[in-house]
mmCIF file of all heavy atoms in Angstrom:
data_model
loop_
_atom_site.group_PDB
_atom_site.id
_atom_site.type_symbol
_atom_site.label_atom_id
_atom_site.label_comp_id
_atom_site.label_asym_id
_atom_site.label_seq_id
_atom_site.Cartn_x
_atom_site.Cartn_y
_atom_site.Cartn_z
ATOM 1 N N VAL Z 1 69.679 130.317 57.077
ATOM 2 C CA VAL Z 1 70.368 129.111 56.680
ATOM 3 C C VAL Z 1 71.795 129.508 56.221
ATOM 4 O O VAL Z 1 71.921 130.431 55.434
ATOM 5 C CB VAL Z 1 69.660 128.346 55.545
ATOM 6 C CG1 VAL Z 1 70.440 127.124 55.136
ATOM 7 C CG2 VAL Z 1 68.255 127.945 56.025
ATOM 8 N N TRP Z 2 72.781 128.820 56.729
ATOM 9 C CA TRP Z 2 74.185 129.047 56.365
ATOM 10 C C TRP Z 2 74.575 127.844 55.504
ATOM 11 O O TRP Z 2 74.565 126.701 55.940
ATOM 12 C CB TRP Z 2 75.045 129.125 57.594
ATOM 13 C CG TRP Z 2 76.538 129.269 57.369
ATOM 14 C CD1 TRP Z 2 77.402 128.262 57.006
ATOM 15 C CD2 TRP Z 2 77.301 130.435 57.538
ATOM 16 N NE1 TRP Z 2 78.665 128.743 56.909
ATOM 17 C CE2 TRP Z 2 78.666 130.101 57.262
ATOM 18 C CE3 TRP Z 2 77.028 131.764 57.905
ATOM 19 C CZ2 TRP Z 2 79.689 131.007 57.314
ATOM 20 C CZ3 TRP Z 2 78.044 132.664 57.976
ATOM 21 C CH2 TRP Z 2 79.368 132.277 57.685
ATOM 22 N N VAL Z 3 74.987 128.095 54.270
ATOM 23 C CA VAL Z 3 75.478 127.050 53.352
ATOM 24 C C VAL Z 3 76.956 127.302 53.150
ATOM 25 O O VAL Z 3 77.327 128.299 52.510
ATOM 26 C CB VAL Z 3 74.718 127.014 52.036
ATOM 27 C CG1 VAL Z 3 75.240 125.869 51.170
ATOM 28 C CG2 VAL Z 3 73.208 126.838 52.263
ATOM 29 N N GLY Z 4 77.799 126.405 53.608
ATOM 30 C CA GLY Z 4 79.227 126.559 53.483
ATOM 31 C C GLY Z 4 79.796 125.607 52.472
ATOM 32 O O GLY Z 4 79.308 124.472 52.298
ATOM 33 N N VAL Z 5 80.824 126.033 51.755
ATOM 34 C CA VAL Z 5 81.619 125.195 50.878
ATOM 35 C C VAL Z 5 83.041 125.150 51.450
ATOM 36 O O VAL Z 5 83.644 126.211 51.606
ATOM 37 C CB VAL Z 5 81.625 125.742 49.427
ATOM 38 C CG1 VAL Z 5 82.572 124.910 48.566
ATOM 39 C CG2 VAL Z 5 80.217 125.748 48.821
ATOM 40 N N SER Z 6 83.542 123.999 51.776
ATOM 41 C CA SER Z 6 84.918 123.841 52.202
ATOM 42 C C SER Z 6 85.211 124.773 53.398
ATOM 43 O O SER Z 6 84.655 124.615 54.472
ATOM 44 C CB SER Z 6 85.889 124.056 51.038
ATOM 45 O OG SER Z 6 87.184 123.673 51.366
ATOM 46 N N ALA Z 7 86.067 125.796 53.202
ATOM 47 C CA ALA Z 7 86.362 126.709 54.292
ATOM 48 C C ALA Z 7 85.137 127.432 54.815
ATOM 49 O O ALA Z 7 85.077 127.797 56.002
ATOM 50 C CB ALA Z 7 87.402 127.734 53.847
ATOM 51 N N GLY Z 8 84.141 127.645 53.981
ATOM 52 C CA GLY Z 8 82.902 128.219 54.408
ATOM 53 C C GLY Z 8 82.125 127.341 55.387
ATOM 54 O O GLY Z 8 81.297 127.795 56.131
ATOM 55 N N SER Z 9 82.428 126.053 55.368
ATOM 56 C CA SER Z 9 81.904 125.135 56.376
ATOM 57 C C SER Z 9 82.859 125.011 57.557
ATOM 58 O O SER Z 9 82.430 125.020 58.704
ATOM 59 C CB SER Z 9 81.733 123.720 55.750
ATOM 60 O OG SER Z 9 80.815 123.730 54.679
ATOM 61 N N MET Z 10 84.151 124.919 57.261
ATOM 62 C CA MET Z 10 85.156 124.729 58.352
ATOM 63 C C MET Z 10 85.198 125.887 59.285
ATOM 64 O O MET Z 10 85.582 125.700 60.490
ATOM 65 C CB MET Z 10 86.521 124.539 57.671
ATOM 66 C CG MET Z 10 86.596 123.280 56.778
ATOM 67 S SD MET Z 10 88.059 123.283 55.752
ATOM 68 C CE MET Z 10 89.322 122.795 56.952
ATOM 69 N N VAL Z 11 84.848 127.078 58.864
ATOM 70 C CA VAL Z 11 84.886 128.246 59.775
ATOM 71 C C VAL Z 11 83.939 128.072 60.954
ATOM 72 O O VAL Z 11 84.146 128.677 62.001
ATOM 73 C CB VAL Z 11 84.572 129.514 58.989
ATOM 74 C CG1 VAL Z 11 83.071 129.640 58.646
ATOM 75 C CG2 VAL Z 11 85.004 130.764 59.746
ATOM 76 N N MET Z 12 82.929 127.253 60.837
ATOM 77 C CA MET Z 12 81.978 127.030 61.917
ATOM 78 C C MET Z 12 82.507 126.043 62.963
ATOM 79 O O MET Z 12 81.889 125.869 64.016
ATOM 80 C CB MET Z 12 80.649 126.518 61.338
ATOM 81 C CG MET Z 12 79.885 127.536 60.571
ATOM 82 S SD MET Z 12 79.436 128.943 61.603
ATOM 83 C CE MET Z 12 78.318 129.826 60.564
ATOM 84 N N THR Z 13 83.642 125.407 62.730
ATOM 85 C CA THR Z 13 84.191 124.399 63.633
ATOM 86 C C THR Z 13 85.155 125.035 64.637
ATOM 87 O O THR Z 13 85.569 126.202 64.452
ATOM 88 C CB THR Z 13 84.899 123.297 62.812
ATOM 89 O OG1 THR Z 13 86.132 123.851 62.266
ATOM 90 C CG2 THR Z 13 84.014 122.802 61.694
ATOM 91 N N PRO Z 14 85.584 124.311 65.663
ATOM 92 C CA PRO Z 14 86.520 124.885 66.620
ATOM 93 C C PRO Z 14 87.918 125.047 66.081
ATOM 94 O O PRO Z 14 88.601 126.032 66.382
ATOM 95 C CB PRO Z 14 86.524 123.891 67.770
ATOM 96 C CG PRO Z 14 85.317 123.036 67.569
ATOM 97 C CD PRO Z 14 85.074 123.016 66.076
ATOM 98 N N ARG Z 15 88.390 124.065 65.258
ATOM 99 C CA ARG Z 15 89.726 124.106 64.697
ATOM 100 C C ARG Z 15 89.704 123.454 63.288
ATOM 101 O O ARG Z 15 88.884 122.577 63.029
ATOM 102 C CB ARG Z 15 90.707 123.318 65.570
ATOM 103 C CG ARG Z 15 90.974 123.963 66.962
ATOM 104 C CD ARG Z 15 91.893 123.034 67.740
ATOM 105 N NE ARG Z 15 93.163 122.801 67.046
ATOM 106 C CZ ARG Z 15 94.010 121.823 67.345
ATOM 107 N NH1 ARG Z 15 93.700 120.941 68.287
ATOM 108 N NH2 ARG Z 15 95.119 121.684 66.694
ATOM 109 N N VAL Z 16 90.645 123.891 62.457
ATOM 110 C CA VAL Z 16 90.712 123.304 61.119
ATOM 111 C C VAL Z 16 91.924 122.421 60.930
ATOM 112 O O VAL Z 16 92.014 121.678 59.945
ATOM 113 C CB VAL Z 16 90.683 124.401 60.024
ATOM 114 C CG1 VAL Z 16 89.409 125.190 60.102
ATOM 115 C CG2 VAL Z 16 91.917 125.321 60.111
ATOM 116 N N GLY Z 17 92.880 122.491 61.871
ATOM 117 C CA GLY Z 17 94.127 121.748 61.736
ATOM 118 C C GLY Z 17 95.155 122.518 60.909
ATOM 119 O O GLY Z 17 94.807 123.228 59.951
ATOM 120 N N ALA Z 18 96.392 122.412 61.292
ATOM 121 C CA ALA Z 18 97.483 123.205 60.674
ATOM 122 C C ALA Z 18 97.565 122.970 59.165
ATOM 123 O O ALA Z 18 97.934 123.886 58.432
ATOM 124 C CB ALA Z 18 98.826 122.886 61.386
ATOM 125 N N ALA Z 19 97.239 121.791 58.710
ATOM 126 C CA ALA Z 19 97.368 121.465 57.287
ATOM 127 C C ALA Z 19 96.448 122.310 56.426
ATOM 128 O O ALA Z 19 96.709 122.464 55.239
ATOM 129 C CB ALA Z 19 97.053 119.982 57.066
ATOM 130 N N PHE Z 20 95.399 122.879 57.013
ATOM 131 C CA PHE Z 20 94.428 123.665 56.227
ATOM 132 C C PHE Z 20 94.584 125.157 56.428
ATOM 133 O O PHE Z 20 93.705 125.936 56.011
ATOM 134 C CB PHE Z 20 92.983 123.236 56.580
ATOM 135 C CG PHE Z 20 92.649 121.878 56.045
ATOM 136 C CD1 PHE Z 20 92.536 120.785 56.897
ATOM 137 C CD2 PHE Z 20 92.402 121.691 54.699
ATOM 138 C CE1 PHE Z 20 92.187 119.547 56.404
ATOM 139 C CE2 PHE Z 20 92.089 120.451 54.186
ATOM 140 C CZ PHE Z 20 91.983 119.362 55.054
ATOM 141 N N VAL Z 21 95.665 125.597 57.075
ATOM 142 C CA VAL Z 21 95.907 127.039 57.254
ATOM 143 C C VAL Z 21 96.864 127.518 56.157
ATOM 144 O O VAL Z 21 98.046 127.095 56.147
ATOM 145 C CB VAL Z 21 96.486 127.333 58.652
ATOM 146 C CG1 VAL Z 21 96.776 128.806 58.763
ATOM 147 C CG2 VAL Z 21 95.526 126.849 59.729
ATOM 148 N N GLU Z 22 96.371 128.342 55.247
ATOM 149 C CA GLU Z 22 97.157 128.900 54.162
ATOM 150 C C GLU Z 22 97.438 130.388 54.352
ATOM 151 O O GLU Z 22 98.337 130.934 53.706
ATOM 152 C CB GLU Z 22 96.499 128.648 52.801
ATOM 153 C CG GLU Z 22 96.333 127.190 52.451
ATOM 154 C CD GLU Z 22 97.630 126.568 51.983
ATOM 155 O OE1 GLU Z 22 98.614 127.286 51.827
ATOM 156 O OE2 GLU Z 22 97.656 125.338 51.781
ATOM 157 N N TRP Z 23 96.669 131.053 55.165
ATOM 158 C CA TRP Z 23 96.799 132.487 55.384
ATOM 159 C C TRP Z 23 98.009 132.720 56.295
ATOM 160 O O TRP Z 23 98.046 132.262 57.432
ATOM 161 C CB TRP Z 23 95.540 133.045 56.006
ATOM 162 C CG TRP Z 23 95.563 134.524 56.242
ATOM 163 C CD1 TRP Z 23 96.104 135.489 55.422
ATOM 164 C CD2 TRP Z 23 95.032 135.232 57.382
ATOM 165 N NE1 TRP Z 23 95.917 136.723 55.979
ATOM 166 C CE2 TRP Z 23 95.250 136.595 57.175
ATOM 167 C CE3 TRP Z 23 94.323 134.793 58.527
ATOM 168 C CZ2 TRP Z 23 94.845 137.566 58.081
ATOM 169 C CZ3 TRP Z 23 93.912 135.784 59.426
ATOM 170 C CH2 TRP Z 23 94.163 137.147 59.213
ATOM 171 N N GLU Z 24 99.010 133.455 55.770
ATOM 172 C CA GLU Z 24 100.266 133.606 56.527
ATOM 173 C C GLU Z 24 100.088 134.379 57.862
ATOM 174 O O GLU Z 24 100.900 134.220 58.746
ATOM 175 C CB GLU Z 24 101.294 134.330 55.639
ATOM 176 C CG GLU Z 24 101.728 133.476 54.441
ATOM 177 C CD GLU Z 24 102.773 134.195 53.607
ATOM 178 O OE1 GLU Z 24 103.111 135.367 53.908
ATOM 179 O OE2 GLU Z 24 103.290 133.575 52.651
ATOM 180 N N SER Z 25 99.054 135.192 57.950
ATOM 181 C CA SER Z 25 98.876 135.991 59.156
ATOM 182 C C SER Z 25 97.997 135.307 60.199
ATOM 183 O O SER Z 25 97.697 135.889 61.232
ATOM 184 C CB SER Z 25 98.269 137.355 58.818
ATOM 185 O OG SER Z 25 99.156 138.115 57.989
ATOM 186 N N ALA Z 26 97.594 134.088 59.931
ATOM 187 C CA ALA Z 26 96.737 133.382 60.873
ATOM 188 C C ALA Z 26 97.531 133.113 62.189
ATOM 189 O O ALA Z 26 98.634 132.589 62.141
ATOM 190 C CB ALA Z 26 96.258 132.060 60.296
ATOM 191 N N PRO Z 27 96.973 133.468 63.342
ATOM 192 C CA PRO Z 27 97.680 133.229 64.606
ATOM 193 C C PRO Z 27 97.742 131.742 64.945
ATOM 194 O O PRO Z 27 98.688 131.303 65.631
ATOM 195 C CB PRO Z 27 96.867 134.002 65.608
ATOM 196 C CG PRO Z 27 95.483 134.107 65.021
ATOM 197 C CD PRO Z 27 95.705 134.175 63.565
ATOM 198 N N ASP Z 28 96.725 130.983 64.545
ATOM 199 C CA ASP Z 28 96.661 129.536 64.795
ATOM 200 C C ASP Z 28 95.601 128.958 63.913
ATOM 201 O O ASP Z 28 95.145 129.608 62.980
ATOM 202 C CB ASP Z 28 96.426 129.265 66.269
ATOM 203 C CG ASP Z 28 95.239 130.055 66.842
ATOM 204 O OD1 ASP Z 28 94.201 130.108 66.149
ATOM 205 O OD2 ASP Z 28 95.352 130.625 67.935
ATOM 206 N N ASP Z 29 95.128 127.751 64.221
ATOM 207 C CA ASP Z 29 94.119 127.109 63.355
ATOM 208 C C ASP Z 29 92.727 127.159 63.958
ATOM 209 O O ASP Z 29 91.806 126.505 63.477
ATOM 210 C CB ASP Z 29 94.538 125.646 63.121
ATOM 211 C CG ASP Z 29 94.335 124.765 64.344
ATOM 212 O OD1 ASP Z 29 94.479 125.288 65.484
ATOM 213 O OD2 ASP Z 29 94.034 123.581 64.181
ATOM 214 N N ARG Z 30 92.520 128.014 64.943
ATOM 215 C CA ARG Z 30 91.198 128.091 65.595
ATOM 216 C C ARG Z 30 90.228 128.905 64.752
ATOM 217 O O ARG Z 30 90.610 129.900 64.113
ATOM 218 C CB ARG Z 30 91.325 128.692 66.999
ATOM 219 C CG ARG Z 30 91.989 127.758 67.995
ATOM 220 C CD ARG Z 30 92.142 128.417 69.351
ATOM 221 N NE ARG Z 30 93.074 129.549 69.309
ATOM 222 C CZ ARG Z 30 93.362 130.334 70.346
ATOM 223 N NH1 ARG Z 30 92.783 130.111 71.496
ATOM 224 N NH2 ARG Z 30 94.235 131.301 70.227
ATOM 225 N N THR Z 31 88.959 128.477 64.791
ATOM 226 C CA THR Z 31 87.909 129.188 64.074
ATOM 227 C C THR Z 31 86.733 129.419 65.034
ATOM 228 O O THR Z 31 86.958 129.489 66.231
ATOM 229 C CB THR Z 31 87.501 128.401 62.801
ATOM 230 O OG1 THR Z 31 87.548 126.994 63.055
ATOM 231 C CG2 THR Z 31 88.491 128.697 61.666
ATOM 232 N N LEU Z 32 85.524 129.597 64.553
ATOM 233 C CA LEU Z 32 84.428 130.135 65.373
ATOM 234 C C LEU Z 32 83.900 129.189 66.453
ATOM 235 O O LEU Z 32 83.442 129.656 67.462
ATOM 236 C CB LEU Z 32 83.283 130.542 64.486
ATOM 237 C CG LEU Z 32 83.569 131.717 63.523
ATOM 238 C CD1 LEU Z 32 82.352 131.971 62.645
ATOM 239 C CD2 LEU Z 32 83.941 132.988 64.273
ATOM 240 N N GLY Z 33 83.963 127.902 66.232
ATOM 241 C CA GLY Z 33 83.476 126.968 67.233
ATOM 242 C C GLY Z 33 81.955 126.986 67.429
ATOM 243 O O GLY Z 33 81.449 126.719 68.524
ATOM 244 N N VAL Z 34 81.207 127.296 66.341
ATOM 245 C CA VAL Z 34 79.745 127.234 66.421
ATOM 246 C C VAL Z 34 79.277 125.807 66.603
ATOM 247 O O VAL Z 34 78.322 125.558 67.316
ATOM 248 C CB VAL Z 34 79.138 127.862 65.154
ATOM 249 C CG1 VAL Z 34 77.606 127.667 65.133
ATOM 250 C CG2 VAL Z 34 79.490 129.350 65.072
ATOM 251 N N VAL Z 35 79.959 124.862 66.002
ATOM 252 C CA VAL Z 35 79.719 123.443 66.195
ATOM 253 C C VAL Z 35 80.880 122.859 66.951
ATOM 254 O O VAL Z 35 81.911 123.478 67.114
ATOM 255 C CB VAL Z 35 79.495 122.692 64.832
ATOM 256 C CG1 VAL Z 35 78.298 123.274 64.102
ATOM 257 C CG2 VAL Z 35 80.760 122.769 63.992
ATOM 258 N N ASP Z 36 80.702 121.593 67.468
ATOM 259 C CA ASP Z 36 81.720 121.047 68.343
ATOM 260 C C ASP Z 36 82.545 119.964 67.646
ATOM 261 O O ASP Z 36 83.195 119.146 68.324
ATOM 262 C CB ASP Z 36 81.083 120.473 69.617
ATOM 263 C CG ASP Z 36 80.078 119.344 69.323
ATOM 264 O OD1 ASP Z 36 79.904 119.000 68.151
ATOM 265 O OD2 ASP Z 36 79.485 118.825 70.282
ATOM 266 N N PHE Z 37 82.560 119.976 66.341
ATOM 267 C CA PHE Z 37 83.379 118.990 65.583
ATOM 268 C C PHE Z 37 84.116 119.740 64.453
ATOM 269 O O PHE Z 37 83.730 120.848 64.075
ATOM 270 C CB PHE Z 37 82.455 117.915 64.954
ATOM 271 C CG PHE Z 37 81.363 118.465 64.078
ATOM 272 C CD1 PHE Z 37 81.598 118.740 62.744
ATOM 273 C CD2 PHE Z 37 80.102 118.684 64.594
ATOM 274 C CE1 PHE Z 37 80.576 119.258 61.915
ATOM 275 C CE2 PHE Z 37 79.073 119.186 63.816
ATOM 276 C CZ PHE Z 37 79.331 119.478 62.471
ATOM 277 N N SER Z 38 85.145 119.100 63.958
ATOM 278 C CA SER Z 38 85.930 119.635 62.844
ATOM 279 C C SER Z 38 85.581 118.925 61.550
ATOM 280 O O SER Z 38 84.980 117.860 61.581
ATOM 281 C CB SER Z 38 87.420 119.577 63.150
ATOM 282 O OG SER Z 38 87.744 120.409 64.248
ATOM 283 N N ILE Z 39 86.010 119.516 60.420
ATOM 284 C CA ILE Z 39 85.703 118.958 59.108
ATOM 285 C C ILE Z 39 86.944 118.851 58.262
ATOM 286 O O ILE Z 39 87.655 119.857 58.098
ATOM 287 C CB ILE Z 39 84.636 119.831 58.377
ATOM 288 C CG1 ILE Z 39 83.280 119.805 59.155
ATOM 289 C CG2 ILE Z 39 84.415 119.342 56.946
ATOM 290 C CD1 ILE Z 39 82.278 120.781 58.570
ATOM 291 N N PHE Z 40 87.163 117.697 57.686
ATOM 292 C CA PHE Z 40 88.205 117.448 56.715
ATOM 293 C C PHE Z 40 87.488 117.377 55.335
ATOM 294 O O PHE Z 40 86.796 116.376 55.068
ATOM 295 C CB PHE Z 40 88.922 116.156 56.994
ATOM 296 C CG PHE Z 40 90.076 115.812 56.087
ATOM 297 C CD1 PHE Z 40 91.390 116.044 56.471
ATOM 298 C CD2 PHE Z 40 89.845 115.232 54.853
ATOM 299 C CE1 PHE Z 40 92.446 115.711 55.657
ATOM 300 C CE2 PHE Z 40 90.907 114.893 53.984
ATOM 301 C CZ PHE Z 40 92.206 115.165 54.402
ATOM 302 N N PRO Z 41 87.606 118.380 54.495
ATOM 303 C CA PRO Z 41 86.855 118.410 53.264
ATOM 304 C C PRO Z 41 87.601 117.734 52.116
ATOM 305 O O PRO Z 41 88.771 117.382 52.247
ATOM 306 C CB PRO Z 41 86.680 119.884 52.979
ATOM 307 C CG PRO Z 41 87.964 120.473 53.498
ATOM 308 C CD PRO Z 41 88.346 119.646 54.718
ATOM 309 N N HIS Z 42 86.926 117.590 51.007
ATOM 310 C CA HIS Z 42 87.513 117.124 49.733
ATOM 311 C C HIS Z 42 88.178 115.736 49.842
ATOM 312 O O HIS Z 42 89.213 115.476 49.275
ATOM 313 C CB HIS Z 42 88.529 118.118 49.204
ATOM 314 C CG HIS Z 42 88.058 119.546 49.212
ATOM 315 N ND1 HIS Z 42 86.909 119.904 48.515
ATOM 316 C CD2 HIS Z 42 88.557 120.660 49.783
ATOM 317 C CE1 HIS Z 42 86.714 121.228 48.698
ATOM 318 N NE2 HIS Z 42 87.687 121.679 49.479
ATOM 319 N N LEU Z 43 87.557 114.862 50.650
ATOM 320 C CA LEU Z 43 88.082 113.522 50.797
ATOM 321 C C LEU Z 43 88.194 112.855 49.422
ATOM 322 O O LEU Z 43 87.237 112.798 48.653
ATOM 323 C CB LEU Z 43 87.142 112.710 51.704
ATOM 324 C CG LEU Z 43 87.545 111.278 51.985
ATOM 325 C CD1 LEU Z 43 88.860 111.213 52.759
ATOM 326 C CD2 LEU Z 43 86.429 110.560 52.764
ATOM 327 N N ASP Z 44 89.396 112.364 49.139
ATOM 328 C CA ASP Z 44 89.736 111.665 47.886
ATOM 329 C C ASP Z 44 89.752 112.578 46.648
ATOM 330 O O ASP Z 44 89.987 112.073 45.523
ATOM 331 C CB ASP Z 44 88.745 110.493 47.605
ATOM 332 C CG ASP Z 44 88.799 109.442 48.678
ATOM 333 O OD1 ASP Z 44 89.898 109.211 49.240
ATOM 334 O OD2 ASP Z 44 87.797 108.790 48.969
#
């Protein structure tokens, strides 16, 4: 069982969107793509 919090969940998606990339060395916003949807966390 994989339990993710925020980025720990988003890493399983195909992309996180540029707004969620804080690491300066990131080549782009792509992640693992284990699932076929993206996640916008911390709504409100």
Side-chain angles (χ1 to χ4, degrees):
V1 178
W2 176 284
V3 182
V5 175
S6 190
S9 299
M10 299 167 76
V11 74
M12 290 298 190
T13 71
R15 293 177 58 198
V16 299
F20 288 107
V21 178
E22 297 285 353
W23 182 38
E24 293 183 355
S25 297
D28 49 46
D29 72 329
R30 289 177 293 178
T31 37
L32 295 177
V34 173
V35 298
D36 62 0
F37 56 84
S38 294
I39 296 174
F40 183 99
H42 312 302
L43 180 64
D44 297 327

